[in-house]
Amino acid sequence: MTDLAFEVRDVSYRYQQVPALDGLSLEIRRGERVALLGANGSGKSTLLRLLAALHFPDRGDILYFGESLSERRLQDEEFFFRFRRRVGVVFQNPDIQLFNPSVFDEVAFGPLQLRWPRDQIRGRVYETLETMGISRLADRAPHRLSGGEKKRVALASVLVLDPEILLLDEPAAALDPGSQSQITDFLVSWGGGSKTVVTATHDLDTLEDIADRCYVLENGKVAGEGAPLAILHDVPLLERTKLVRPHHHVHDPSAPQPGPHPHLHRRP
Amino acid sequence: MHIPDGYLSPSTCAGFYAASVPFWYAALRRLRHALHTRMLPLLSVFSAFSFVIMMFNLPLPGGTTGHAVGMGVSAIVLGPWASILAISIALVIQAVFFGDGGITAIGANCFNMAIAGSLVAYAVYRVAAYRAAIGSTRRVVAAGLAGYLAINTAALLAAVEFGVQPLFFHDAAGSPLYAPYPLAVSIPAMMIGHLTIAGLAELIISAGLVAWLQRTDPGLLERTAPDAAAGPSVRKLWLGLAVLLVLTPLGILAVGGAWGEWSARDFADPQVRRQIAAASANHAPPQRAPSGLQRLSTIWTAPLSGYAPAFIRNAPIGYLVSAAAGTSLILLCGLLLKQLLPDRRRRRKTFIEKTTTTLARALQHAFFAEETANSGGFLQRLDPRVKLVGIGSLIAATVAVHQLWMLAAILALAVVLARLSRITLRNLSTRVWIAVLVFTGAIALPAIFLTPGEAIYRLPVLGWPVTSQGLRSAALLFLRAETTATLSVLLILTTLWPHLLHALRFFRVPVVVVVLLGMTYRYIFLLLETAREISESREARQVGVMQPADRRRLAAATAGVLLSKSLWVSGEVHMAMLARGFRGEVYLLEDLRLRWNDWLPLGALTAIAAAAIWFGR
Ligand SMILES: Nc1ncnc2c1ncn2[C@@H]1O[C@H](COP(=O)(O)OP(=O)(O)OP(=O)(O)O)[C@@H](O)[C@H]1O
Ligand SMILES: [Mg+2]
């Protein structure tokens, strides 16, 4: 069996007229933590949806452990359940993801759809709520949660399935710094580091904690690839892909660049 | 249009539930077989959309505002069967959660608006749009026509349902037990408002939203336009629309007159006369029991007394005049009560402000309901299934009993239950009683004069007679409406919505329906928030005075933005469901056992309801 969780080969995708991905290729190895960086509209969310087999490429191919992810393949019930069981997605907008009448029902939805034995579900749901620190919200309706609570519930609703591959779309966006670091810490320690985690983000501050490797996307293409530190040092790439603000002062190209870019260091 | 509890007799309610069930069943079966998994989120979001649209105050010619139901656009986008479900779900949530429309009348309301409304809208749209191209103006006109006719069909059905109540359900003395007006009054009273205000609102919403979809998402119009091509010109259709607009009121009046005659004859029926005579044994029965319509025409002629020209007393004109008099009396009472009772702050507001207020109030109501449901009073501690059955049977009893004292006793019980459940009288009166007073009060008050029977008092100057039958009938209607509204608000203020949904499974409500109710409710809040944001931001931008036509365009555009957002949400939700293993079938975790200590309150509540029905016959 191949060690590549996902292999994206020259994939293009467009929404009606709007091109979102344009000949994109990348690889995600099993057990690896990969960050997808890119400005707004660069195609991060679209890529995650293709990896989750929610959209299918117009051109090109996506291989999941060597098997092509096609609409046909997903029709096969056995493959569908195996895939959904192992690949979890947390969407960018938690309002979309929380469609059940209560937090408990929300977290129980996945296990129920995947036909887990009923007597295990209740216990497993409470366990997950406990781990995420949201047990007291079990009976709440999703429209009465704060943004951060919604994110946690969305995360819990996916983690309850204990997926091997987790696709996260800006998990820490719209959170206060406290919850942000809590969520990040949780994800860093989750699964003892054996899980495959793909995170779409434009937050450069936590990059080193959440990723072993990054891809930088620009206009639906890969514009750069490398270890977090290398990417953080590649200022021209970051400026070109609008991940940092272009500088107003003029750089002296001959002067040595001391360490990481000063603007990126906001963490204590 | 939303028939409250207490206006229709139990047998009418049961009949309409029975008539609606086959349609619901057929719709569910069709959806399961014919449609893909996208339908579930699409349906629930559409249902939420229609719910929110019902809260929109649409500006109409003449400075008034009206509400649409959204059946036109939902039948056009979803097709008739899915539309039946979408509108029904919205109506159920309105009735149960927001007390808009009665719980016992859900069958009738769904039959009128969801079933008849969707089918008529669909048929009219298909016929009128014929093979016109998806983007053609003809489709917009056809949509407007579909909406207009659909809502008026629904209103006519409701009017007939009201109008037959006094024929079939009256006590021995001739007091109507439910809706008190005969067809000759109920039809014009309902239709005047719908042929103008509500019909126009529906027309604007349907046409506006189809035009919106032509520009933003034409693919959605293809489902109900299988043979769209370049179609014939639009002009003939405009003409047809104009002719229809002119003819319908006349037709309705003609039909109303015909039925009016029938009811008049019924009231003059010798057997009814004998019953009246038997009931008032101590009084000499009047030589000729006055028919409802003759009574009405005497109201009209009473102030004129001898001066009235003779032709006014002739029968056909008498019917027309009396129907007009009855109708205007009802409308007048409504206006007066609205002026006298609170909400004076709301006057002189623009439609956008009104909409914002309505939306904010709905959100506030939901938050308040969740607060009280969590506050741990007596009813809050009961199992939701016990409450559903217990309070449900009390509501049924309220509709079934015929004695005023028994209605008062049930109302008192409801108040005691409310106090035990930490709901204050103040809350009950602001949330329930005043609203019912305004609405049902306006409808019940004229019945005091219009109901045929023994005059026990005459108004000075006008000389209108107050009849004992009229008094009793108005009191019955009013007390029933207050009591049922109090009971249903008790249910919702003490039960969390998810718990109520789980309770429904206990009664073998199909899982799909429970899931639809849950998702719709969830997305109502998302759309309410969105709608509020849109209308607030527009409000901020539109300070200057606008032309009426611009205001209508603005309202339609606001609804359009909301529709686009709804459709986008439904697509995204579908993704989110797929990602967690949804394949078209849904499952629920349910716990169907009742604990032993649930049986006691269940038994008590149902026993009280049964006793009330027995002693309050
Ligand atoms: N549902 C949609 N319909 C049409 N176009 C879309 C849709 N979703 C995304 N797009 C377009 O596709 C492109 C890529 O969008 P995508 O959501 O993948 O970007 P992103 O990198 O996730 O951006 P962000 O950082 O803002 O989340 C954008 O140009 C966007 O406008
Ligand atoms: Mg995104």
Side-chain angles (χ1 to χ4, degrees):
Chain A
M1 194 166 158
T2 165
D3 209 32
L4 284 182
F6 287 107
E7 194 178 348
V8 179
R9 289 183 183 160
D10 194 24
V11 160
S12 297
Y13 184 83
R14 49 174 63 226
Y15 296 96
Q16 285 101 37
Q17 276 79 45
V18 192
L21 299 181
D22 181 16
L24 180 140
S25 301
L26 51 74
E27 288 172 356
I28 288 154
R29 286 187 279 278
R30 173 180 223 164
E32 191 182 30
R33 298 180 307 149
V34 176
L36 303 174
L37 293 170
N40 292 134
S42 56
K44 306 180 296 288
S45 300
T46 310
L47 177 59
L48 286 184
R49 283 160 184 235
L50 272 100
L51 293 180
L54 297 170
H55 295 312
F56 299 93
D58 295 337
R59 205 160 47 78
D61 214 1
I62 296 182
L63 303 185
Y64 164 75
F65 288 108
E67 266 188 279
S68 174
L69 278 184
S70 66
E71 211 155 359
R72 279 276 302 285
R73 193 72 187 97
L74 264 286
Q75 307 262 297
D76 173 33
E77 182 151 322
E78 199 257 308
F79 180 79
F80 178 90
F81 282 128
R82 188 150 48 87
F83 182 81
R84 295 289 174 224
R85 169 80 175 76
R86 290 174 68 182
V87 181
V89 204
V90 177
F91 286 78
Q92 186 168 357
N93 179 350
D95 271 329
I96 297 305
Q97 185 149 12
L98 308 183
F99 46 80
N100 283 285
S102 74
V103 168
F104 180 91
D105 290 320
E106 193 61 62
V107 179
F109 182 87
L112 278 167
Q113 296 311 302
L114 296 176
R115 330 258 165 100
W116 283 18
R118 304 234 153 189
D119 40 335
Q120 289 177 16
I121 294 179
R122 207 170 280 276
R124 180 79 184 113
V125 169
Y126 280 120
E127 209 176 287
T128 312
L129 291 175
E130 194 69 49
T131 339
M132 298 298 296
I134 46 175
S135 311
R136 76 205 149 79
L137 302 180
D139 268 340
R140 280 271 193 93
H143 62 263
R144 298 214 59 194
L145 301 175
S146 77
E149 289 166 340
K150 278 185 196 164
K151 273 272 186 215
R152 272 166 213 258
V153 177
L155 210 53
S157 72
V158 172
L159 293 184
V160 67
L161 297 169
D162 194 24
E164 275 163 48
I165 302 176
L166 193 55
L167 308 174
L168 300 167
D169 204 342
E170 313 208 5
L175 295 185
D176 60 62
S179 326
Q180 210 164 351
S181 63
Q182 272 182 351
I183 297 256
T184 313
D185 291 347
F186 177 80
L187 289 175
V188 167
S189 62
W190 174 66
S194 68
K195 309 274 187 176
T196 313
V197 184
V198 183
T199 315
T201 181
H202 29 220
D203 179 17
L204 299 179
D205 291 348
T206 54
L207 199 59
E208 286 166 80
D209 300 330
I210 61 163
D212 308 325
R213 205 155 60 86
C214 327
Y215 282 99
V216 180
L217 304 194
E218 185 187 17
N219 296 330
K221 287 194 196 61
V222 175
E225 186 259 311
L229 267 179
I231 295 285
L232 289 174
H233 280 101
D234 192 347
V235 179
L237 173 72
L238 296 181
E239 285 190 0
R240 183 162 56 83
T241 54
K242 302 194 179 65
L243 283 164
V244 294
R245 244 185 313 157
H247 278 202
H248 296 300
H249 61 266
V250 182
H251 277 282
D252 180 7
S254 61
Q257 292 265 327
H261 199 281
H263 278 233
L264 304 177
H265 266 243
R266 269 180 278 131
R267 262 181 306 144
Chain B
M1 171 69 81
H2 291 57
I3 303 175
D5 281 318
Y7 283 58
L8 300 181
S9 76
S11 53
T12 318
C13 293
F16 276 100
Y17 267 111
S20 297
V21 163
F23 287 96
W24 289 328
Y25 182 74
L28 280 174
R29 288 206 51 129
R30 272 172 165 267
L31 292 186
R32 187 159 302 166
H33 289 303
L35 296 160
H36 38 78
T37 56
R38 230 208 114 162
M39 210 57 204
L40 196 66
L42 186 64
L43 237 164
S44 54
V45 172
F46 230 93
S47 174
F49 172 74
S50 134
F51 181 97
V52 176
I53 274 300
M54 291 189 220
M55 303 198 153
F56 263 62
N57 283 276
L58 295 163
L60 299 171
T64 51
T65 58
H67 297 269
V69 176
M71 69 246 288
V73 67
S74 99
I76 291 166
V77 174
L78 300 175
W81 294 101
S83 172
I84 286 178
L85 287 184
I87 304 284
S88 297
I89 296 272
L91 290 173
V92 168
I93 294 182
Q94 277 197 317
V96 176
F97 204 92
F98 293 92
D100 219 352
I103 289 179
T104 53
I106 285 177
N109 281 325
C110 286
F111 189 87
N112 301 345
M113 284 183 266
I115 297 172
S118 299
L119 294 177
V120 167
Y122 180 74
V124 172
Y125 176 74
R126 286 299 301 274
V127 169
Y130 193 51
R131 287 185 180 164
I134 292 287
S136 60
T137 319
R138 181 173 176 139
R139 289 208 174 264
V140 177
V141 178
L145 190 60
Y148 184 81
L149 290 179
I151 200 165
N152 277 294
T153 306
L156 184 59
L157 281 172
V160 171
E161 286 150 24
F162 286 145
V164 297
Q165 299 300 314
L167 293 186
F168 298 124
F169 310 102
H170 45 77
D171 65 11
S175 312
L177 294 167
Y178 298 95
Y181 304 107
L183 288 160
V185 173
S186 70
I187 289 181
M190 279 293 279
M191 297 318 290
I192 286 173
H194 283 90
L195 287 169
T196 54
I197 294 175
L200 277 186
E202 194 71 38
L203 186 150
I204 291 171
I205 277 293
S206 308
L209 289 179
V210 165
W212 176 272
L213 286 175
Q214 285 179 332
R215 266 178 288 137
T216 57
D217 209 344
L220 279 168
L221 296 172
E222 278 161 17
R223 194 195 312 268
T224 54
D227 43 11
S233 109
V234 72
R235 200 164 298 144
K236 261 184 259 161
L237 207 65
W238 271 116
L239 203 69
L241 182 60
V243 169
L244 249 164
L245 279 176
V246 172
L247 283 183
T248 347
L250 294 180
I252 297 288
L253 273 186
V255 172
W259 269 325
E261 232 167 323
W262 164 41
S263 70
R265 243 183 271 127
D266 185 273
F267 271 108
D269 184 289
Q271 198 176 344
V272 177
R273 287 225 308 270
R274 229 173 294 130
Q275 281 177 345
I276 296 174
S280 45
N282 298 336
H283 303 273
Q287 279 300 322
R288 202 159 42 92
S291 82
L293 294 163
Q294 278 159 351
R295 162 75 57 187
L296 280 168
S297 45
T298 58
I299 282 185
W300 168 249
T301 52
L304 305 171
S305 63
Y307 301 106
F311 75 86
I312 284 190
R313 294 176 214 273
N314 102 349
I317 293 206
Y319 292 150
L320 277 182
V321 168
S322 54
T327 308
S328 38
L329 204 55
I330 293 175
L331 296 179
L332 197 72
C333 282
L335 279 178
L336 276 178
L337 272 174
K338 281 224 177 78
Q339 292 293 317
L340 290 176
L341 286 161
D343 274 358
R344 237 171 276 129
R345 279 168 290 130
R346 244 181 18 184
R347 266 188 291 154
R348 311 282 330 142
K349 278 191 171 181
T350 67
F351 72 96
I352 288 186
E353 286 172 299
K354 280 194 205 163
T355 305
T356 316
T357 318
T358 321
L359 296 173
R361 201 178 299 147
L363 283 168
Q364 197 271 340
H365 174 73
F367 291 160
F368 178 78
E370 277 183 50
E371 291 297 328
T372 41
N374 277 320
S375 74
F378 168 70
L379 284 175
Q380 284 89 335
R381 278 194 294 272
L382 295 186
D383 185 282
R385 290 162 288 184
V386 172
K387 273 181 279 184
L388 205 60
V389 175
I391 296 186
S393 52
L394 283 178
I395 291 178
T398 311
V399 174
V401 301
H402 297 166
Q403 301 299 329
L404 284 168
W405 64 267
M406 187 49 96
L407 286 176
I410 302 177
L411 182 57
L413 174 67
V415 171
V416 170
L417 285 175
R419 291 301 297 128
L420 288 177
S421 312
R422 306 195 180 165
I423 299 166
T424 60
L425 291 183
R426 197 189 140 78
N427 271 322
L428 280 183
S429 50
T430 52
R431 268 159 219 285
V432 189
W433 293 342
I434 292 180
V436 174
L437 179 67
V438 173
F439 186 80
T440 300
I443 290 172
L445 199 57
I448 297 176
F449 311 110
L450 298 180
T451 312
E454 277 171 80
I456 50 174
Y457 178 73
R458 267 179 198 283
L459 280 194
V461 186
L462 287 173
W464 293 354
V466 173
T467 65
S468 65
Q469 280 86 345
L471 266 182
R472 180 167 142 73
S473 178
L476 273 175
L477 187 68
F478 182 69
L479 258 183
R480 264 213 196 92
E482 290 283 15
T483 309
T484 47
T486 311
L487 286 168
S488 39
V489 87
L490 273 188
L491 177 64
I492 211 61
L493 288 186
T494 61
T495 318
L496 287 174
W497 182 250
H499 295 171
L500 203 60
L501 288 180
H502 281 274
L504 285 179
R505 273 301 291 149
F506 187 67
F507 304 101
R508 299 284 175 272
V509 175
V511 175
V512 200
V513 175
V514 175
V515 169
L516 274 172
L517 280 167
M519 286 179 60
T520 303
Y521 182 76
R522 161 79 183 94
Y523 286 105
I524 281 173
F525 287 97
L526 196 60
L527 295 183
L528 277 178
E529 287 285 7
T530 313
R532 202 171 53 144
E533 278 161 23
I534 298 174
S535 59
E536 272 170 0
S537 64
R538 286 190 191 252
E539 195 179 342
R541 268 187 270 139
Q542 307 286 340
V543 192
V545 184
M546 290 169 86
Q547 293 298 309
D550 289 335
R551 257 184 274 149
R552 277 192 286 287
R553 218 164 291 135
L554 176 64
T558 308
V561 174
L562 197 65
L563 178 61
S564 292
K565 166 95 181 187
S566 309
L567 294 168
W568 175 79
V569 165
S570 98
E572 296 286 293
V573 172
H574 181 226
M575 296 279 138
M577 293 175 78
L578 283 181
R580 281 198 276 154
F582 172 67
R583 271 177 77 85
E585 280 293 324
V586 269
Y587 304 92
L588 286 176
L589 199 59
E590 45 206 30
D591 179 13
L592 296 181
R593 281 160 304 158
L594 270 180
R595 286 165 299 152
W596 66 269
N597 52 350
D598 292 329
W599 288 101
L600 189 66
L602 182 65
L605 287 173
T606 45
I608 292 174
I613 295 179
W614 180 257
F615 292 108
R617 275 169 304 155

